[in-house]
Amino acid sequence: MVENQDQGPYYQINDTKNPDLLHERRSATFDIELLTQFMFGGPNSYFNINKRRQLTRLAYAHPIHKTHLPLEYLDADEFYALLIRKSFVAIKEAERLNITDRKFLGWFLSVFTNGRFIFGLHTSMFLHTLENMASDEQQEKFLPLARSFQIIGTYAQTELGHGSNVQRLETEAVFDSKTDTFVLNTPTLTATKFWPGALGRSTNYVLLMAQLYTPDRSHPCGLQMFFVQIRDLNTHEPLPGVEVGEISTRFAHEVGDNGYLRLTNVRIPRNQMLMKLAYVDEQGTFHRLGDPRLLYGAMLATRVNLCAFFSILLARAVTIAMRYSAVRRQGQNPDGKETLILDYPLQQEKLVPCLAATYAFFYSFIKLEHFRASILDGDTILFELLPELHAISSGLKAYTSTHGERWSQICRVACGGHGFLVASGIKGINNMLDAGCSYEGDNAVLYQQTARFLLKVIQQLDENTDTNPDSSIAFLYSNKVAPATVVNLDDYCRLFEARSELLLKSMSTRLSELSSSSSTPYSVFSKNSIELVHVAKAYVETFVLRAFYDGVRKASEHKELAVVFEQLFHVFAIDTLRNSAADFIRLKLLTPDQIYHLETYGLPDMYARLRPNLIALVDAFDFHDNELNSCLGRYDGQAYEALMERARLNPANRYKVHPVWTSIKQNAKSKL
Amino acid sequence: MDESSVAKPHYEINDTKNVHLLEERQSATFNVEKFTQFMFGQSDNYYEINARREIIRLALAHPIHQTHLPFEYLNADEYYSLVIRKSLLAIEEANRLKITNDKHRQWFLHIFSSGRFAFYIHAVMCTYAIETMSNEEQKRKFLPLVKSYRMTTAYTQTELGHGTDLRRLETEAIFDRETDSFIFNTPTLTSTKFWPGALARSANYALLMAHLYTPDRNHPCGNQMFLVQLRDLDTHELLPGVEAGAISTRFNDCAGDNGYLRLTNVRVPRTNMLMKAAEVDRDGNFHRCGDARVLYGAMVHMRIHLSYSFSVSLAQAITIAMRYSAVRFQGSNPQGNETRILDYPLQQEKLVPCLASAYAFLVTFLNLNNYFNDLKTNETMFFRQLPELHALASGLKAYTSSVGERLTQNCRVSCGGHGFLFASGIIGIRNFLDASSSAEGDTVVLYQQTARYILKMIQRVEEDSEKGVDASTTYLRAKLWSGKTMINLDDYCHLFESRAQLLAKEALAQMFESSLSPYATFLKNSIQLVQLAKAHVETYLMRSFLEQVNKAAHHLEFSVILEQLFYVFAIHTLRNESKDFIRLNLLTAEQIYELENRLLPDLYTRLRPNLVPLVDAFDFHDVELDSCLGRYDGQAYEALMERARLNPANQQKVPPVWKAIKQGTLSKL
């Protein structure tokens, strides 16, 4: 790859055209590029900002981006055709530019296709699963075809009737020893594969999760993964026995081409079951080979990455809302001057906690990713730490999507009506975060998994065990008492940890009391699930707060940054605390008056101190305008000009009189 | 049309095809139809369920509804054409069927055009505004045109740069004595009218708010309302000097055709300024003549009406989510059986408070609307109570849209991935409520207006305890709640009222203590003032709900359930604001914990047999819900599959772009 590309920021302060926004940028008390490099820079950082800048510049330099209208103005067919075209061109360009590193390639493909790379599941889940579940022989055969995009696949698991509970999937693969094949069927309506991305019109293969029956129909062997061709590679027509199509349009085009799949007696050779962990021999005998926990690793890596994705989405939303709030004026003060909406306390109350939460999300992702890398590294897995990684990644995925959805909604509202336009960029973000609450594990289900882990930990707790002080559960083993007053940042962390510990312990006690009576553990867990989710959330909050705290401490080498980070930390901590005020009071960790003071005086005070840096703090996220795709959030601040220009591009405005009115008016005349 | 008799429900229990849903319906402890009649059926009840049923039947009987694909499958031009055709046909049909009652007519137009009536704002808002703001002569001239839809108007107020603060609007109307006309201009980019529904391609007139200058450019006379012709009535072409078009697409097309408008030296006759409250004479002299509060009254009317559509929307969302939760099974218990998702406490936690809130919203709207209508019969009383009405209407509009949006989002999430499909019907509702928390008054701006009123009231109480307060604020001088535990429903109302009273006193004290200017003090305390406004709205919701429960006193089977719903609503609302109640020493944290974690789940269990019947009682037609998940018959999966197969994307065996790829003819760019 070309290494001498410009790695500097996309914009300089002189690119600002709106004078109010310029004023904001000049009032910053720290160097923005310093913060960006501190948080996201360096080759060891997941975000590797300099590399990202290079890739982004390369991607946007291509002339294809000038050839089409904004995507919201395309009709369904045009939209799909453009997506496919851009996706293929992106692949070619990446080859030409010799971008091979998997993460960089992923970035490039995503940026090039405006975040809509159609074969995203192919390059992630599909390839990854082949690499981990296919036997060496299978890998040799399939991987070259898949890597060169001759085979384009997706991952077909969820069915119309079943998502969360994989065990209940109904699609079946029955071994037929005569022909040495599996016969695949979706025997019921609810067995229809439903939702897989790119399945609707784009992929020619799927990795199909199905119930295996071998040596015959009466011997179920559980779920296995099969490599199934669904379309002809030359004509792209569906093969016999395959019904495939797109499902009812989703609101957000963002991922796209979600499909359904029905199979009727489709036969595949025996060697197209992925056989690294289990295999079926010629006689139809089923053998287990490997440790199925290997699969687990891939799922966890996906969840960890989602936390980064959700953090980035939220960072975009708050960038847009913050910049627009520094451009928009509304209402007037007694001197007859209009007020910048960012100066209203109610606007700050919406946006500053959201900004602080975004930084908290980033830091908790960084901490989580660090933890993941220490456990899952290629083929070596520290199995004893997997449950903790599972608990915290599930919890954080649920936390960042749920809260991200709500925060991005607040950003939408903060932009008033204009925030509701597709051209604001926020609606699309909100939709993606909303979808994120359900896919890759429903949030309520994930929180319960986190809670299960915590219960196990607390039930086996031995306070004399040596634990890694960096562990997310270290606080359960410590004897530190909670602070009576909140003075420094660590006090907040310890307050949240004390709350988490108390909630967990009382829950554990209650559950064991209840299960010693007549109820089964299942029903006890289910009956208390609302509170268990609460316990899980409280634990995730300790993790997020600690991660943020670590981040602030790291910044101590840069005084100008540390000050600002501390302020953001205060905002995040107080905002999170007040939302669970009843807990802290009931558990006697804080008094109602303490919380009232923190909320009513502490928070607005922090808003005021952060005020000069609010724009600088979103600029530091370093988004290219094309990534934001927002009239409201442009770097230059020309929000109104952009809105007007975008409106004029609307194809609806190409008619002087819309055809329906021409025909109505002509009919009216002919009736006379 | 026969409007008095009892009409049959849209569905009977035997129409249920899904066995689980049938079970749910059979477990009801009350008669759904009787309950619907009790809640929404009486002829003096705004919902007039029997008339509504008739209207829905008439509207849906028309063959046009069988002629098109679901709306999400139409492209932008097809969509717009269909909406216009349906809307115009709806008007014709309403005339043919002689549906003359205003409300019934609106329902008919709405249902007939699949909830997308192109001239909705014209029918609901503009007609009312033109009626209230025109002088007699103008009424004679304009109303027949307006009511027959020969003149169709867009309510054209918001500009690109200004929405909330009307004083800052920049569009100007300058009187020109020579031609006895006004000259209209949008002199800056930010003065471009932006957002009005139906403005882009549909309306031929704008009901336009502009700054009047008369007798000349140097004499500003404030904002006035004008009827400005935009399009030729024969050709539908834009008139000279008028630039209009569609703005960047909104996510929710339901209201649709939102537009922008730029005017360059457009002339309009002097008599097209609406002159009831102020007029300009032939010499350009400006006179105030009527009571400017009429405008205010129109706005209050609109806001009340909005909380009606928000409440109904929330009821639709919860109907969908509740029915789907009774059909969907997921997970398995130790016996190996799958569990109905409605049986999970976490699902109940999402849905039951939402159900209770929908009932609370519906009865509160009814209460406020009745109050408004009673007052309207007496102009003196009406103007006297206008501030109170304004505070309630603004607060309720803000509350039902913003809280409704969050509750609808819970419904979406509770339906899992399928909830995210367009065909779920929920996403559209959520977008509508989301948009509505900004349209017609931004939520926090409205709350602040409500708070201003409460501050005035509490000041009056503090200054003179004998002075009268309005009915909805009598709690400001009531004795504070001092009970140990809440026993009956009234206790909960009392609790909320004490909280609002204490917050009001606290806010007033802060206003007095402050050394800043009143403007700066208000601004500084705005976050707490918004909280005060919400607290006020919540007292009104609780009281309205309580009244409804009391009305059911003679129907034991209903009152039991309404009481349970009331408790759920009260506790759910209370725990969300637990900080207030604890800090103001009204409840302890321990009490709230018990309410939330013991009583609330217990109420869910008690309501469990009636959850589906309680959404059935909202009496929606499947066509209104337009949802694969929420169908009355419970055939959710069948409907999803059928809908997917209808997708035009699936009509081609190989999409054209793939043909091009396979034939090597894809553009290289």
Side-chain angles (χ1 to χ4, degrees):
Chain A
M1 207 190 122
V2 205
E3 289 296 340
N4 53 2
Q5 281 279 327
D6 184 5
Q7 300 186 348
Y10 305 117
Y11 310 101
Q12 304 292 337
I13 192 164
N14 294 339
D15 295 322
T16 317
K17 292 190 185 136
N18 180 291
D20 290 321
L21 199 54
L22 187 62
H23 178 78
E24 297 286 337
R25 292 198 165 115
R26 286 193 177 136
S27 71
T29 64
F30 63 88
D31 178 55
I32 293 173
E33 180 64 6
L34 177 69
L35 195 157
T36 304
Q37 292 297 342
F38 172 74
M39 270 210 65
F40 307 111
N44 296 324
S45 155
Y46 175 89
F47 298 99
N48 201 335
I49 201 78
N50 295 337
K51 194 64 167 183
R52 201 177 157 88
R53 284 173 177 169
Q54 278 187 346
L55 292 166
T56 303
R57 283 195 169 93
L58 286 168
Y60 289 139
H62 197 277
I64 194 169
H65 305 301
K66 307 262 182 273
T67 62
H68 62 86
L69 281 175
L71 295 175
E72 78 261 28
Y73 291 144
L74 305 181
D75 72 27
D77 279 342
E78 292 166 347
F79 184 91
Y80 178 68
L82 179 68
L83 217 67
I84 290 288
R85 252 171 10 109
K86 277 203 167 183
S87 298
F88 276 119
V89 176
I91 293 165
K92 278 216 186 103
E93 280 294 291
E95 270 169 33
R96 190 179 68 79
L97 296 164
N98 201 17
I99 303 168
T100 48
D101 176 277
R102 184 162 284 183
K103 186 167 75 180
F104 298 155
L105 179 64
W107 286 351
F108 180 82
L109 296 173
S110 169
V111 170
F112 194 97
T113 55
N114 309 87
R116 293 164 175 86
F117 183 58
I118 194 87
F119 308 120
L121 281 168
H122 173 82
T123 49
S124 58
M125 295 276 277
F126 187 79
L127 281 176
H128 197 99
T129 309
L130 278 181
E131 285 160 2
N132 287 288
M133 289 180 70
S135 65
D136 292 347
E137 194 190 322
Q138 288 174 323
Q139 293 199 22
E140 249 168 65
K141 194 168 158 192
F142 302 136
L143 273 179
L145 293 167
R147 286 194 178 129
S148 61
F149 287 91
Q150 283 166 279
I151 284 177
I152 298 170
T154 188
Y155 189 86
Q157 174 176 310
T158 300
E159 296 176 358
L160 187 53
H162 294 93
S164 291
N165 187 13
V166 183
Q167 300 310 319
R168 286 279 182 166
L169 293 180
E170 297 173 78
T171 300
E172 55 185 38
V174 182
F175 183 63
D176 176 30
S177 61
K178 259 186 237 159
T179 53
D180 199 26
T181 58
F182 296 109
V183 184
L184 306 174
N185 274 294
T186 45
T188 60
L189 171 67
T190 44
T192 310
K193 293 290 175 187
F194 214 82
W195 278 107
L199 175 64
R201 291 167 283 180
S202 311
T203 55
N204 47 29
Y205 269 79
V206 294
L207 278 175
L208 184 87
M209 196 176 264
Q211 302 283 359
L212 169 66
Y213 296 88
T214 190
D216 56 41
R217 188 72 186 79
S218 44
H219 291 85
C221 299
L223 290 168
Q224 298 296 328
M225 196 63 95
F226 301 86
F227 191 68
V228 185
Q229 185 175 357
I230 57 169
R231 288 180 182 271
D232 185 284
L233 297 191
N234 292 317
T235 64
H236 205 64
E237 284 184 22
L239 296 181
V242 173
E243 182 193 349
V244 63
E246 205 194 14
I247 61 179
S248 147
T249 319
R250 299 166 65 197
F251 235 81
H253 284 302
E254 303 300 332
V255 182
D257 202 34
N258 299 78
Y260 69 88
L261 175 68
R262 294 194 49 74
L263 300 172
T264 314
N265 294 321
V266 171
R267 277 174 191 271
I268 55 166
R270 181 170 51 87
N271 67 6
Q272 281 180 216
M273 179 177 116
L274 300 191
M275 301 231 194
K276 186 168 185 178
L277 302 177
Y279 78 96
V280 173
D281 65 22
E282 255 170 79
Q283 284 74 44
T285 316
F286 179 75
H287 309 267
R288 284 198 191 282
L289 289 173
D291 190 331
R293 284 184 298 181
L294 285 167
L295 289 180
Y296 211 52
M299 189 183 71
L300 294 187
T302 306
R303 281 195 190 146
V304 172
N305 286 333
L306 282 176
C307 297
F309 179 54
F310 298 151
S311 307
I312 291 172
L313 286 175
L314 181 59
R316 286 184 192 157
V318 73
T319 301
I320 295 167
M322 198 71 85
R323 286 185 183 158
Y324 179 61
S325 301
V327 166
R328 173 91 170 171
R329 292 179 171 273
Q330 203 75 189
Q332 60 188 23
N333 63 23
D335 314 325
K337 294 219 176 79
E338 278 194 290
T339 310
L340 203 59
I341 61 174
L342 192 50
D343 284 327
Y344 285 107
L346 279 159
Q347 190 77 352
Q348 295 169 6
E349 169 84 350
K350 284 179 189 141
L351 295 181
V352 186
C354 177
L355 176 70
T358 312
Y359 276 93
F361 281 19
F362 274 120
Y363 273 120
S364 37
F365 162 73
I366 289 169
K367 187 173 169 118
L368 176 64
E369 166 61 15
H370 185 72
F371 184 43
R372 185 205 63 79
S374 69
I375 291 175
L376 304 168
D377 184 17
D379 282 345
T380 28
I381 298 178
L382 296 178
F383 283 113
E384 70 276 14
L385 285 177
L386 266 191
E388 185 184 344
L389 178 62
H390 180 232
I392 191 61
S393 61
S394 302
L396 198 64
K397 181 266 172 184
Y399 184 85
T400 48
S401 55
T402 308
H403 287 263
E405 188 281 324
R406 190 175 62 86
W407 283 124
S408 64
Q409 170 61 16
I410 288 172
C411 291
R412 201 302 285 154
V413 170
C415 293
H418 296 336
F420 200 70
L421 292 169
V422 176
S424 81
I426 296 181
K427 277 305 280 187
I429 293 170
N430 179 248
N431 273 309
M432 281 198 274
L433 286 164
D434 177 17
C437 296
S438 294
Y439 66 61
E440 292 300 322
D442 177 90
N443 284 353
V445 174
L446 293 182
Y447 276 134
Q448 288 178 85
Q449 294 176 358
T450 305
R452 265 182 218 285
F453 163 79
L454 292 172
L455 286 175
K456 253 186 215 152
V457 169
I458 202 80
Q459 278 154 14
Q460 296 161 3
L461 187 70
D462 175 359
E463 294 193 2
N464 299 318
T465 326
D466 277 340
T467 47
N468 178 352
D470 282 340
S471 155
S472 70
I473 46 171
F475 67 90
L476 295 174
Y477 296 85
S478 124
N479 299 319
K480 277 189 198 160
V481 278
T485 52
V486 208
V487 182
N488 57 39
L489 308 192
D490 187 55
D491 294 339
Y492 285 105
C493 295
R494 281 163 57 209
L495 268 178
F496 275 84
E497 287 163 356
R499 163 197 176 224
S500 174
E501 184 174 352
L502 289 169
L503 287 176
L504 181 56
K505 282 185 172 155
S506 76
M507 179 51 88
S508 168
T509 312
R510 178 135 50 84
L511 291 194
S512 44
E513 279 166 18
L514 287 171
S515 38
S516 56
S517 64
S518 58
S519 314
T520 64
Y522 173 85
S523 73
V524 170
F525 190 91
S526 165
K527 248 194 124 151
N528 289 281
S529 52
I530 299 173
E531 275 193 85
L532 281 162
V533 164
H534 187 69
V535 169
K537 284 182 196 169
Y539 158 71
V540 175
E541 284 175 355
T542 67
F543 182 83
V544 176
L545 219 64
R546 253 316 151 199
F548 200 172
Y549 177 63
D550 293 347
V552 178
R553 272 200 315 188
K554 251 186 266 163
S556 58
E557 54 191 285
H558 305 286
K559 185 97 193 336
E560 51 179 317
L561 300 184
V563 174
V564 182
F565 278 141
E566 276 188 30
Q567 292 162 351
L568 286 171
F569 180 93
H570 275 286
V571 170
F572 178 73
I574 300 174
D575 181 59
T576 309
L577 193 152
R578 67 163 160 182
N579 287 331
S580 298
D583 273 359
F584 290 94
I585 299 166
R586 185 173 60 83
L587 301 170
K588 308 216 159 32
L589 294 166
L590 290 170
T591 67
D593 278 336
Q594 278 178 305
I595 294 180
Y596 180 74
H597 274 87
L598 285 172
E599 178 174 16
T600 316
Y601 304 105
L603 263 186
D605 177 47
M606 286 298 157
Y607 299 164
R609 290 199 223 176
L610 279 162
R611 180 67 190 80
N613 288 316
L614 291 179
I615 292 299
L617 282 166
V618 299
D619 285 349
F621 294 135
D622 196 56
F623 290 114
H624 192 286
D625 275 353
N626 291 13
E627 286 178 278
L628 298 178
N629 191 22
S630 166
C631 294
L632 306 183
R634 293 157 59 109
Y635 185 87
D636 66 7
Q638 300 281 72
Y640 294 129
E641 289 77 2
L643 280 173
M644 199 63 220
E645 190 190 327
R646 187 89 153 225
R648 285 188 171 127
L649 282 176
N650 191 332
N653 300 330
R654 69 189 183 275
Y655 308 111
K656 218 166 159 188
V657 173
H658 191 275
V660 70
W661 284 106
T662 314
S663 83
I664 289 163
K665 295 298 177 185
Q666 277 166 0
N667 282 345
K669 253 188 217 153
S670 62
K671 271 185 200 159
L672 287 175
Chain B
M1 225 187 83
D2 183 6
E3 287 161 17
S4 56
S5 62
V6 170
K8 278 203 338 201
H10 301 301
Y11 308 100
E12 303 286 344
I13 194 167
N14 293 336
D15 295 322
T16 318
K17 292 193 185 131
N18 180 290
V19 287
H20 308 295
L21 201 54
L22 187 62
E23 250 172 57
E24 297 286 339
R25 292 194 167 121
Q26 283 164 345
S27 74
T29 65
F30 66 94
N31 181 303
V32 173
E33 172 61 10
K34 279 189 188 155
F35 185 66
T36 301
Q37 292 294 342
F38 167 73
M39 292 289 294
F40 311 113
Q42 278 101 335
S43 57
D44 61 346
N45 182 308
Y46 182 88
Y47 298 103
E48 281 188 272
I49 205 75
N50 297 301
R52 199 179 152 87
R53 284 174 176 171
E54 285 304 323
I55 284 166
I56 289 176
R57 284 199 176 91
L58 287 169
L60 297 180
H62 198 277
I64 191 170
H65 305 302
Q66 315 305 325
T67 62
H68 63 85
L69 282 174
F71 278 88
E72 76 264 27
Y73 291 144
L74 306 179
N75 72 27
D77 276 338
E78 291 166 347
Y79 183 100
Y80 178 69
S81 300
L82 181 65
V83 167
I84 292 295
R85 281 185 197 288
K86 278 203 165 183
S87 300
L88 294 178
L89 194 56
I91 297 165
E92 254 175 55
E93 282 292 293
N95 291 340
R96 188 179 68 80
L97 295 164
K98 299 198 169 46
I99 303 171
T100 48
N101 170 297
D102 274 348
K103 183 172 67 183
H104 296 172
R105 204 175 153 86
Q106 273 165 32
W107 284 347
F108 181 86
L109 299 171
H110 182 74
I111 300 282
F112 193 97
S113 54
S114 317
R116 295 165 173 89
F117 185 56
F119 306 108
Y120 172 77
I121 303 286
H122 170 83
V124 177
M125 199 163 156
C126 296
T127 307
Y128 191 90
I130 293 168
E131 243 173 334
T132 5
M133 295 165 66
S134 298
N135 63 27
E136 292 307 314
E137 197 189 325
Q138 288 175 321
K139 275 193 212 169
R140 277 194 296 277
K141 188 173 160 194
F142 296 134
L143 281 180
L145 294 168
V146 163
K147 292 199 167 169
S148 65
Y149 292 89
R150 271 179 289 159
M151 178 190 272
T152 52
T153 55
Y155 192 86
T156 311
Q157 176 176 306
T158 300
E159 296 174 358
L160 187 54
H162 293 94
T164 299
D165 188 10
L166 297 180
R167 291 166 303 178
R168 287 282 180 165
L169 293 181
E170 298 173 79
T171 302
E172 53 187 39
I174 302 175
F175 184 63
D176 175 39
R177 195 159 169 250
E178 254 167 65
T179 55
D180 197 23
S181 62
F182 298 111
I183 301 169
F184 284 87
N185 275 292
T186 45
T188 60
L189 170 67
T190 45
S191 70
T192 309
K193 293 290 180 187
F194 213 84
W195 278 107
L199 176 65
R201 293 167 287 181
S202 311
N204 50 29
Y205 271 79
L207 181 60
L208 182 101
M209 190 177 272
H211 260 292
L212 170 66
Y213 295 88
T214 189
D216 56 42
R217 187 72 185 81
N218 304 319
H219 293 85
C221 299
N223 281 321
Q224 300 295 329
M225 216 36 129
F226 304 86
L227 274 169
V228 179
Q229 187 173 353
L230 305 175
R231 293 179 176 274
D232 183 286
L233 300 191
D234 292 324
T235 64
H236 206 64
E237 281 181 25
L238 291 170
L239 297 181
V242 176
E243 179 194 352
I247 61 178
S248 147
T249 322
R250 299 167 63 199
F251 248 82
N252 175 9
D253 280 312
C254 283
D257 203 34
N258 298 79
Y260 70 87
L261 174 69
R262 297 196 46 77
L263 300 172
T264 313
N265 292 324
V266 171
R267 278 173 192 273
V268 165
R270 179 174 53 87
T271 50
N272 276 25
M273 179 177 118
L274 298 189
M275 300 224 191
K276 181 159 185 184
E279 58 184 39
V280 173
D281 66 21
R282 182 62 193 86
D283 298 320
N285 296 316
F286 181 76
H287 313 271
R288 297 204 181 274
C289 42
D291 195 326
R293 289 180 296 180
V294 291
L295 227 171
Y296 206 48
M299 195 174 63
V300 168
H301 172 261
M302 185 65 196
R303 286 188 185 153
I304 295 176
H305 187 82
L306 286 172
S307 61
Y308 160 75
S309 26
F310 305 158
S311 309
V312 170
S313 295
L314 179 61
Q316 291 178 340
I318 186 65
T319 301
I320 295 167
M322 197 69 87
R323 286 184 183 159
Y324 179 63
S325 302
V327 166
R328 173 92 171 170
F329 281 70
Q330 203 76 187
S332 53
N333 63 22
Q335 289 82 50
N337 293 326
E338 283 194 286
T339 309
R340 195 185 312 224
I341 61 173
L342 191 49
D343 286 328
Y344 285 109
L346 280 160
Q347 189 78 352
Q348 295 168 6
E349 167 81 353
K350 284 180 190 137
L351 297 181
V352 186
C354 181
L355 175 71
S357 304
Y359 272 98
F361 289 9
L362 287 166
V363 298
T364 305
F365 156 75
L366 213 53
N367 196 20
L368 182 56
N369 193 53
N370 289 341
Y371 188 43
F372 181 86
N373 287 336
D374 286 348
L375 288 171
K376 273 223 86 172
T377 55
N378 177 337
E379 199 170 67
T380 324
M381 280 297 286
F382 181 71
F383 284 133
R384 186 188 302 157
Q385 294 314 120
L386 203 49
E388 182 194 17
L389 280 172
H390 178 245
L392 286 171
S394 304
L396 194 63
K397 185 262 166 188
Y399 195 92
T400 49
S401 57
S402 59
V403 176
E405 188 276 328
R406 279 295 89 184
L407 291 169
T408 306
Q409 173 62 11
N410 281 349
C411 292
R412 199 305 280 155
V413 170
S414 74
C415 292
H418 297 338
F420 200 68
L421 290 170
F422 199 106
S424 81
I426 294 180
I427 294 271
I429 295 171
R430 193 201 146 201
N431 274 306
F432 168 65
L433 289 168
D434 177 17
S436 301
S437 55
S438 295
E440 297 301 324
D442 177 89
T443 298
V444 294
V445 173
L446 294 186
Y447 277 141
Q448 288 177 86
Q449 293 175 358
T450 303
R452 264 181 219 284
Y453 161 83
I454 302 293
L455 280 177
K456 267 187 205 144
M457 283 291 132
I458 190 73
Q459 193 168 2
R460 193 190 286 183
V461 170
E462 300 270 280
E463 279 165 5
D464 177 0
S465 59
E466 296 305 306
K467 236 179 183 174
V469 284
D470 299 326
S472 62
T473 50
T474 47
Y475 67 81
L476 288 175
R477 60 156 57 132
K479 240 184 99 200
L480 286 177
W481 160 261
S482 59
K484 284 270 170 285
T485 51
M486 288 80 71
I487 297 169
N488 55 38
L489 311 189
D490 192 62
D491 292 343
Y492 281 94
C493 292
H494 195 172
L495 198 65
F496 274 83
E497 288 167 353
S498 297
R499 163 194 175 225
Q501 184 193 125
L502 289 168
L503 289 178
K505 285 181 173 158
E506 209 171 72
L508 187 68
Q510 275 160 353
M511 299 305 280
F512 280 137
E513 280 163 20
S514 170
S515 54
L516 302 167
S517 71
Y519 173 84
T521 308
F522 192 90
L523 199 64
K524 189 162 180 276
N525 291 297
S526 52
I527 298 170
Q528 287 95 292
L529 288 167
V530 163
Q531 182 69 359
L532 167 62
K534 277 191 217 165
H536 174 62
V537 176
E538 283 168 355
T539 66
Y540 191 71
L541 282 156
M542 299 280 291
R543 276 289 163 210
S544 303
F545 205 161
L546 177 60
E547 270 177 44
Q548 185 67 25
V549 180
N550 290 339
K551 274 188 211 149
H554 299 297
H555 308 272
L556 190 59
E557 50 175 321
F558 302 157
S559 66
V560 172
I561 295 154
L562 283 171
E563 276 187 26
Q564 291 166 350
L565 287 171
F566 176 94
Y567 282 123
V568 170
F569 178 71
I571 298 172
H572 169 73
T573 309
L574 190 153
R575 61 144 165 208
N576 285 340
E577 307 293 347
S578 53
K579 263 187 321 225
D580 279 357
F581 290 95
I582 299 169
R583 183 176 61 83
L584 301 170
N585 289 319
L586 294 166
L587 291 172
T588 65
E590 202 55 52
Q591 276 178 304
I592 291 180
Y593 176 81
E594 291 291 319
L595 288 173
E596 179 173 10
N597 293 295
R598 302 290 169 265
L599 193 47
L600 206 46
D602 179 51
L603 286 162
Y604 299 162
T605 310
R606 284 195 257 163
L607 277 162
R608 179 66 189 83
N610 289 317
L611 291 179
V612 169
L614 279 167
V615 300
D616 287 348
F618 292 135
D619 197 57
F620 291 114
H621 193 284
D622 277 352
V623 170
E624 286 179 275
L625 299 177
D626 192 19
S627 165
C628 294
L629 306 183
R631 293 157 58 109
Y632 185 87
D633 66 8
Q635 302 280 75
Y637 294 129
E638 289 77 1
L640 280 173
M641 199 64 221
E642 189 190 327
R643 188 88 155 222
R645 286 186 171 128
L646 281 176
N647 192 333
N650 301 331
Q651 309 318 313
Q652 307 145 332
K653 215 168 169 187
V654 177
V657 63
W658 281 101
K659 279 198 181 132
I661 290 166
K662 294 300 174 186
Q663 292 160 3
T665 55
L666 185 68
S667 151
K668 289 285 174 282
L669 247 190

